[in-house]
């Protein structure tokens, strides 16, 4: 006969086993649930991190190239914009532009601080091949690859896209010289620009009227230096925004800025501007009278790329002749004779580029 005490003990053991099984079952469910939640959060976090990294990478691509091209720690660089038409051909405009840094005085090192902004894939590929600082400016649904003749619809659109990009650069805190690619750098512009940090913008002109403060100077947005600050960032934003207003609609960006200046917008915004002397920052509209002073030569007042290339090659010939004439001089400013015996050749191809189909000048 079974001992009553043993029966009680067995019941107690059985109950303990049942309780243990239930506890383990419940705990396992909670652990599994918590594990799955943890796994979900980890995957979700990882997914967000990847997405964030992709977005950051896209946003910081421009920042990366700006930082790489900038001079020292002062966040200053040189920017030019090119498309397919400027990089192709036996002797391309880009080739001439880069060669000018080689033949210029105190300009070779500046290539390391040049950012080339490509408006199409061909121009970007060429830039990468040349191992320059490159940035591909993408505009969905727009082809900026071919030659854009002066004042054509595509030309105006491309100039506005350029303005918007440069506004972004200013907002990121970078000061820059913007230069058209049809400008030959025969000297270091930084040594000729004002060091006064109160100068917000220093801009080239087609003809210099003798007054560096007069807004009546006919500006040329192919070359200018702008300091990044709240005022200039606001100016560029306003410049881009007013393009669709009735007073400015259909105008190219240069004409809009010039009209804004003459309407007193710079004074209103507290912006100090300086207009650059064409004896130093020269161009085809008005040649520098002194080889010793010239820093840049702009193929302005010219309609086509072929004409610009032709006449800029003549500029190189004139410049080499000048440098050869002072070979025995240690300083370009030592001799006075060259100023009187040398001069720039006439820009025949550019002059002819304005002739209409009937052969008359326009």
């Amino acid at each position: 006969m079974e001992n009553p005490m043993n029966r009680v003990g067995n019941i107690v053991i059985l109950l303990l086993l049942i309780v243990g099984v239930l506890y383990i079952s419940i705990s396992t469910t909670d652990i599994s649930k918590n594990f799955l939640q943890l796994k979900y959060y980890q995957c979700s976090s990882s997914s967000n991190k990847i997405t964030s990294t992709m977005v950051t990478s896209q946003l910081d691509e421009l920042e990366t190239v700006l930082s790489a091209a900038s001079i020292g720690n002062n966040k200053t660089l040189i920017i030019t914009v090119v498309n397919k038409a400027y990089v192709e051909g036996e002797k391309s405009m880009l080739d001439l532009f880069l060669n000018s840094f080689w033949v210029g005085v105190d300009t070779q090192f500046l290539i390391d601080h040049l950012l080339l902004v490509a408006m199409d894939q061909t121009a970007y590929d060429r830039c990468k091949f040349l191992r320059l600082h490159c940035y591909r400016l993408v505009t969905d649904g727009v082809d900026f690859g071919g030659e854009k003749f002066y004042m054509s619809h595509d030309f105006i659109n491309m100039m506005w896209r350029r303005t918007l990009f440069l506004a972004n650069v200013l907002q990121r805190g970078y000061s820059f010289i913007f230069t058209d690619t049809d400008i030959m750098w025969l000297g270091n512009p930084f040594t000729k620009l004002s060091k006064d940090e109160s100068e917000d913008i220093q801009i080239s002109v087609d003809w210099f009227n003798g007054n560096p403060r007069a807004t009546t100077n006919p500006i040329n947005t192919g070359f200018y230096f702008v300091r990044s600050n709240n005022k200039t960032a606001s100016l560029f934003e306003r410049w881009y925004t007013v393009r669709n207003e009735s007073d400015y609609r259909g105008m190219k960006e240069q004409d809009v800025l010039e009209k804004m200046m003459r309407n007193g917008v710079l004074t209103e915004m507290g912006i100090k501007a300086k207009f650059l002397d064409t004896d130093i920052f020269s161009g085809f509209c008005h040649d520098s009278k002194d080889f010793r002073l010239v820093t840049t030569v702009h193929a302005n007042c010219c309609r086509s790329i072929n004409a610009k290339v032709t006449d800029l090659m003549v500029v190189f010939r004139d410049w080499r002749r000048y440098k050869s004439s002072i070979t025995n001089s240690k300083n370009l400013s030592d001799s006075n004779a060259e100023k009187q015996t040398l001069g720039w050749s006439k820009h025949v191809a550019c002059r002819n580029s304005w002739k209409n189909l009937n052969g008359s000048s326009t």
Side-chain angles (χ1 to χ4, degrees), residues 186-254:
L186 304 179
N188 183 348
F190 287 103
T191 65
K192 303 294 185 179
L193 295 169
S194 172
K195 304 299 189 297
D196 184 354
E197 294 189 2
S198 69
E199 301 277 8
D200 297 301
I201 185 168
Q202 301 178 59
I203 188 166
S204 66
V205 299
D206 287 334
W207 296 274
F208 183 59
N209 68 11
N211 184 352
R213 300 297 173 193
T215 56
T216 52
N217 280 293
I219 66 168
N220 190 304
T221 53
F223 183 94
Y224 56 86
F225 174 66
V226 57
R227 295 185 188 276
S228 175
N229 55 45
N230 291 336
K231 292 183 294 183
T232 55
S234 297
L235 171 65
F236 272 65
E237 181 180 357
R238 185 169 176 177
W239 182 13
Y240 183 77
T241 301
V242 301
R243 74 193 188 285
N244 292 323
E245 294 182 4
S246 58
D247 288 346
Y248 302 101
R249 190 175 296 119
M251 297 171 64
K252 68 178 185 294
E253 38 73 62
Q254 177 175 294

Side-chain angles (χ1 to χ4, degrees), residues 34 60 74 96 128 132 135 165-166 172 188 195 226 246 266 286:
N34 290 336
D60 286 351
N74 65 357
L96 288 177
K128 297 299 287 185
L132 301 171
Y135 181 74
F165 170 79
L166 295 173
R172 290 169 175 263
N188 183 348
K195 304 299 189 297
V226 57
S246 58
L266 297 190
H286 188 258

Side-chain angles (χ1 to χ4, degrees), residues 100 103-105 107 184-188 294-297 315 319 344:
S100 74
V103 303
V105 178
T107 53
M184 302 299 100
W185 284 47
L186 304 179
N188 183 348
V294 68
T295 300
T296 59
V297 176
V315 168
W319 180 251
W344 300 103

Side-chain angles (χ1 to χ4, degrees), residues 9-118:
N10 291 335
I11 293 173
V12 170
I13 293 171
L14 180 59
L15 289 173
L16 289 174
L17 288 173
I18 293 172
V19 170
V21 170
L22 290 173
Y23 176 79
I24 292 172
S25 175
I26 294 172
S27 298
T28 302
T29 301
D30 289 339
I31 292 172
S32 299
K33 181 179 179 181
N34 290 336
F35 175 76
L36 290 174
Q37 288 177 336
L38 179 61
K39 185 176 181 181
Y40 168 77
Y41 287 131
Q42 287 176 332
C43 290
S44 177
S45 175
S46 176
S47 175
N48 289 338
K49 183 176 181 181
I50 292 172
T51 303
S52 175
T53 301
M54 291 173 64
V55 171
T56 301
S57 176
Q58 292 171 351
L59 291 176
D60 286 351
E61 181 183 354
L62 176 56
E63 185 68 31
T64 299
V65 293
L66 289 172
S67 178
S70 62
I71 300 171
N73 296 320
N74 65 357
K75 300 184 75 172
T76 300
L77 69 155
I78 304 160
I79 299 175
T80 193
V81 175
V82 295
N83 65 356
K84 178 180 178 180
Y86 273 66
V87 304
E88 290 190 329
E90 185 176 347
K91 194 66 175 178
S92 72
M93 184 72 75
L94 180 60
D95 291 335
L96 288 177
F97 176 68
L98 297 176
N99 285 347
S100 74
F101 286 83
W102 176 252
V103 303
V105 178
D106 191 30
T107 53
Q108 293 184 20
F109 77 100
L110 292 174
I111 288 226
D112 293 334
H113 305 293
L114 170 68
L115 173 61
L116 195 152
V117 179

